[in-house]
């Protein structure tokens, strides 16, 4: 779609100043009848003014993507309108780079005008900003005061639970989630927490039903994850795989939140059969042809074990049960690398290649949403900022 003239309405806010913040932006056609684009995003902790500028930037970027040449900006922030119109100076250090970015975006259009409007006339963008702040309550980054307790070895290439323990930054998926697809209703949000470190993790061995306990490092990871979840709040239930390492991790969260933990059998890790306890190399040397094919074919099980297709069937059944049992609620799901990747795969609607390409750290947090009308989204992947 390419349109010449559009109206951009944008807003931002923070609950507290500074506080948990978010922005919303909407692009209308020139008659302000048809909605051409929407943007919203949670920003963590910042100020109202920063959030308002971020909303303006998002609106201008969306207008550019639509091919617009003439843009009429309407906002209820007098500060942003006056500064972008050149009547007020930008004095606050945090706003200077944002104003510069907005001006650079504006310079690419033939014409951009700015108009202040009352908040009541900016209700669409205001609603998007508030939705972003609601979402941000769950996905805000909570940084621990201390560094992580253990060294992190490099991850192996396999999708199996071989003890990936290399620290990585959270991969936050941008955009407004499924709102632009038309998904309706409040989603059931699954906070997907991988269990903490075990001895097999340290040795980077296939760890399925062998059920090793958490190490001291793993228990510390569980404690830090529990503190992070308690700080988020607004959690209705905690469910866990039946395996001990997941239950230990879940019980720490349950104690911090004051919530009883429920075991869900379908969330257990893949049965790696005769490869249980082997390293990636040992399994490849033991069964070279089968192991090579297994890495690309989810229908193949390990010898005496379970295929990833079979894992998907039981994980999907568990997901359906959770969405039915806890509609519109926030649920902590403590599990293992393959079930968590499978839930992310289901939320994204992608093929099995994700199982072999996505890296998840021990005790990492991901967030998947499932809507009552069948829509879904992923808002967070592999966050370890609290460790």
């Amino acid at each position: 779609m390419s349109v010449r003239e559009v109206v951009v309405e944008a807003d931002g806010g923070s609950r507290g100043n500074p506080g948990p913040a978010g922005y919303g932006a909407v692009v209308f056609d020139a008659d302000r009848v048809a909605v051409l684009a929407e943007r919203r995003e949670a920003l963590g902790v910042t100020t109202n003014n920063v959030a308002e500028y971020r909303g303006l930037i998002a609106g201008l970027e969306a207008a550019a993507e639509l091919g617009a040449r003439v843009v009429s900006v309407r906002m209820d922030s007098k500060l942003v309108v006056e500064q972008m119109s050149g009547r007020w100076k930008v004095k606050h250090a945090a706003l200077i780079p944002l104003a510069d970015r907005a001006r650079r975006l504006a310079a690419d259009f033939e014409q951009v005008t700015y108009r202040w409007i009352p908040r009541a006339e900016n209700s669409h963008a205001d609603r998007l900003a508030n939705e972003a702040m609601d979402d941000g309550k769950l996905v805000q980054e909570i940084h621990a005061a201390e560094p992580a307790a253990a060294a992190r070895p490099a991850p192996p290439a396999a999708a199996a639970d071989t003890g990936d323990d290399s620290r990585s930054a959270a991969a936050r998926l941008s955009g407004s989630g499924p709102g632009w697809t038309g998904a309706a209703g409040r989603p059931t949000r699954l906070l997907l927490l991988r269990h903490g470190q075990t001895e097999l993790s340290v040795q980077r061995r296939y760890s399925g039903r062998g059920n090793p306990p958490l190490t001291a490092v793993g228990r510390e990871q569980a404690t830090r994850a529990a503190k992070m979840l308690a700080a988020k709040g607004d959690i209705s239930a905690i469910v866990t795989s039946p395996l001990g390492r997941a239950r230990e991790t879940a019980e720490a969260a349950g104690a911090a939140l004051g919530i009883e933990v429920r075991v869900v059998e379908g969330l257990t890790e893949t049965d790696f059969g005769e490869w249980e306890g082997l390293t990636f190399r040992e399994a490849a040397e033991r069964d070279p042809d089968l192991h090579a094919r297994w890495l690309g074919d989810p229908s193949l099980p390990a010898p005496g074990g379970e295929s990833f297709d079979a894992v998907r069937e039981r994980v999907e059944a568990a997901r359906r049960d959770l969405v039915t049992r806890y509609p519109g609620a926030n649920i902590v799901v403590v599990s293992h690398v393959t079930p968590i990747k499978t839930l992310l795969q289901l939320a994204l609607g992608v093929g099995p290649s994700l199982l072999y390409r996505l890296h998840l750290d021990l005790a990492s947090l991901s967030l998947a949403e499932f809507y009552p009308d069948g829509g879904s989204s992923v808002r967070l992947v592999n966050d370890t900022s609290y460790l």
Side-chain angles (χ1 to χ4, degrees):
M1 177 187 296
S2 179
V3 292
R4 177 172 172 76
E5 297 186 21
V6 298
V7 175
V8 169
E9 294 180 2
D11 199 7
S14 64
R15 292 169 181 168
N17 198 20
Y23 70 73
V26 57
V27 183
F28 295 98
D29 63 8
D31 296 325
R32 202 180 171 278
V33 174
V35 174
L36 305 178
E38 289 182 336
R39 299 287 186 271
R40 75 171 189 238
E41 184 180 359
L43 298 174
V45 176
T46 190
T47 66
N48 284 321
N49 292 338
V50 167
E52 288 164 343
Y53 261 109
R54 289 291 302 274
L56 170 62
I57 289 167
L60 292 174
E61 289 175 338
E65 291 169 9
L66 290 166
R69 303 308 303 148
V70 177
V71 180
S72 174
V73 175
R74 294 157 43 96
M75 297 181 67
D76 61 45
S77 169
K78 191 168 184 63
L79 177 85
V80 173
V81 168
E82 294 298 320
Q83 288 180 342
M84 291 303 298
S85 298
R87 292 185 289 269
W88 292 3
K89 291 184 178 180
V90 183
K91 297 180 180 179
H92 197 286
L95 301 184
I96 292 172
L98 296 174
D100 286 344
R101 182 177 174 189
R103 290 191 186 102
R104 288 196 300 271
L105 287 167
D108 289 334
F109 298 102
E110 293 177 11
Q111 180 182 354
V112 179
T113 58
Y114 299 91
R115 176 187 169 194
W116 177 85
I117 56 174
R119 183 176 181 181
E121 295 182 22
N122 202 27
S123 58
H124 195 129
D126 178 74
R127 172 176 59 80
L128 293 172
N130 275 283
E131 288 174 357
M133 285 184 274
D134 290 340
D135 294 338
K137 185 177 181 181
L138 285 171
V139 299
Q140 60 183 323
E141 295 177 351
I142 301 173
H143 297 276
E146 301 83 15
R152 315 282 180 166
D161 193 349
T162 53
D164 302 2
D165 200 21
S166 62
R167 185 163 189 175
S168 67
R172 189 182 304 275
L173 300 187
S174 62
S176 60
W180 57 272
T181 70
R186 179 174 177 82
T188 298
R189 290 191 173 103
L190 304 184
L191 286 79
L192 306 173
L193 179 64
R194 190 183 172 196
H195 64 79
Q197 184 193 76
T198 71
E199 284 298 335
L200 290 184
S201 302
V202 175
Q203 298 168 21
R204 298 168 62 193
R205 296 180 179 274
Y206 285 108
S207 179
R209 307 294 175 83
N211 213 14
L214 297 181
T215 63
V217 170
R219 291 192 293 274
E220 175 63 20
Q221 290 172 331
T223 298
R224 293 189 179 196
K227 290 179 179 178
M228 173 270 297
L229 291 168
K232 290 181 184 295
D234 194 26
I235 291 170
S236 300
I238 301 173
V239 297
T240 182
S241 153
L243 297 177
R245 58 194 185 272
R247 296 183 69 163
E248 282 187 79
T249 305
E251 291 294 346
L257 286 158
I259 297 175
E260 185 175 352
V261 174
R262 184 170 73 88
V263 173
V264 175
E265 295 292 333
L267 296 173
T268 194
E269 179 56 295
T270 309
D271 184 348
F272 295 116
E274 296 172 21
W275 292 344
E276 178 72 26
L278 301 183
T279 65
F280 181 86
R281 176 174 292 180
E282 288 169 348
E285 290 175 349
R286 181 187 184 277
D287 300 292
D289 293 337
L290 176 61
H291 193 267
R293 288 186 291 122
W294 175 80
L295 286 176
D297 186 346
S299 70
L300 289 177
E306 180 183 30
S307 71
F308 289 140
D309 280 350
V311 174
R312 179 186 173 111
E313 288 184 14
R314 61 175 168 80
V315 169
E316 168 62 1
R319 183 204 67 82
R320 287 196 301 266
D321 178 70
L322 291 174
V323 171
T324 301
R325 187 184 292 257
Y326 305 107
N330 304 317
I331 312 302
V332 174
V333 177
V334 184
S335 189
H336 311 266
V337 68
T338 311
I340 291 175
K341 287 182 178 181
T342 300
L343 286 164
L344 294 171
Q345 178 191 5
L346 291 169
L348 290 168
V350 297
S353 64
L354 178 142
L355 297 174
Y356 307 96
R357 298 180 182 179
L358 178 64
H359 171 74
L360 293 178
D361 289 303
L362 292 162
S364 63
L365 182 71
S366 302
L367 185 105
E369 298 178 328
F370 296 92
Y371 282 73
D373 67 353
S376 59
S377 68
V378 171
R379 289 200 176 273
L380 187 70
V381 175
N382 200 39
D383 184 8
T384 59
S385 61
Y386 44 86
L387 298 179

